[in-house]
Amino acid sequence: MADSGSSTATLRLTIGDLKIAHPITVPNAAVPARDIVPALQGLVNAAVTAAESGQAISCRKGCGACCRQLVPVSRTEGERLLDLVEAMPKERRREIRRRFAAAEAVLAPAGFDKRTGKTDRELSTTYFALGVACPFLEEESCSIHEERPLICREYLVTSPPELCAGPLQEGVTPVAVPKISLAARKLQDEKDEWFPLALLMMWGRSRPKGGTRRTGPEWVQRFLKGVAG
Ligand code: SF4
């Protein structure tokens, strides 16, 4: 279905045993990739709902143990999150920026600005050991819940919440959610790039400018290609 400004279609995906049917609406105009993030959020939400069906999820508001993990974010989502921070009221923006600066003061000297020579496992273990809370975490809850990154949506556990605070997360049982968020890293023309969410402001200072504009349906096709690949 299409009007002059947007197109709506029901996406039907089969990923392993999961079948997902979800309507998405995207702009018809040529836009930057960040403009289709809301559609991708809905798609990831639908995949998570299908994956968690019938399981006893332990995650609750007020438990933010997983928000001290390394959260990899793509350029596409990074640009949207920067816009989100810029749109905040001045005092709030200042506080969020202060938290990002504090996180950066720990993470950059620890090598997370470059992340070379380490496996993903080493990076995630080292990161968690530093105990850096996500700058968006408030009173152990996500302060940008509706806008949280795709990968945050995909992390749910059925094991006791206290296990998530362990240094190696031993005994933690994540729900087997298909990680379709990874396809967001392949939307842009450059190679599969990501950065830790807590370094959003650092990344923002040197991020690539410009970027390709595509119509919403073209971005969705590209995303689905990334999911399939
Ligand atoms: S964005 Fe929200 S859910 Fe994701 S790590 Fe930060 S506080 Fe947690």
Side-chain angles (χ1 to χ4, degrees):
M1 191 170 69
D3 61 29
S4 57
S6 61
S7 295
T8 298
T10 298
L11 295 186
R12 298 179 196 283
L13 299 182
T14 301
I15 308 172
D17 295 336
L18 283 185
K19 291 193 187 311
I20 303 153
H22 183 71
I24 63 165
T25 299
V26 290
N28 290 330
V31 293
R34 63 176 179 269
D35 286 11
I36 65 145
V37 169
L40 304 184
Q41 290 170 341
L43 189 59
V44 169
N45 289 348
V48 172
T49 299
E52 72 174 336
S53 174
Q55 301 197 52
I57 305 301
S58 315
C59 306
R60 295 281 179 274
K61 193 174 181 189
C63 175
C66 63
C67 300
R68 290 170 177 79
Q69 293 187 25
L70 198 171
V71 175
V73 173
S74 64
R75 170 183 173 177
T76 299
E77 287 197 86
E79 289 178 346
R80 184 165 173 93
L81 288 166
L82 282 176
D83 287 350
L84 181 77
V85 174
E86 279 309 305
M88 288 175 176
K90 190 174 167 191
E91 284 307 312
R92 171 130 187 85
R93 187 169 67 237
R94 184 178 295 165
E95 169 59 15
I96 292 291
R97 284 186 171 277
R98 186 197 63 72
R99 291 185 208 158
F100 272 104
E104 192 177 313
V106 176
L107 294 172
F112 282 92
D113 49 344
K114 299 193 179 61
R115 312 184 307 276
T116 51
K118 288 205 169 117
T119 64
D120 287 354
R121 178 71 182 161
E122 286 167 340
L123 283 171
S124 57
T125 305
T126 307
Y127 189 101
F128 194 68
L130 291 170
V132 175
C134 173
F136 292 121
L137 187 67
E138 285 177 5
E139 297 179 357
E140 298 302 306
S141 293
C142 181
S143 64
I144 57 160
H145 188 74
E146 293 300 315
E147 285 288 343
R148 68 198 187 285
L150 302 177
I151 199 164
C152 297
R153 295 160 199 261
E154 295 173 334
Y155 191 75
L156 296 168
V157 305
T158 56
S159 43
E162 55 272 19
L163 294 181
C164 293
L168 299 174
Q169 281 96 58
E170 284 167 317
V172 173
T173 313
V175 176
V177 177
K179 298 292 184 279
I180 62 176
S181 65
L182 294 176
R185 291 196 210 163
K186 299 173 185 164
L187 277 174
Q188 307 277 349
D189 293 330
E190 60 261 32
K191 67 184 173 66
D192 183 7
E193 247 334 322
W194 62 272
F195 59 89
L197 171 58
L199 292 180
L200 175 68
M201 298 302 155
M202 173 182 266
W203 174 80
R205 293 195 292 274
S206 60
R207 67 183 165 132
K209 299 287 186 269
T212 306
R213 298 171 78 94
R214 294 182 170 89
T215 67
E218 286 170 346
W219 281 123
V220 171
Q221 284 300 326
R222 204 170 161 88
F223 183 78
L224 293 178
K225 203 171 154 193
V227 170

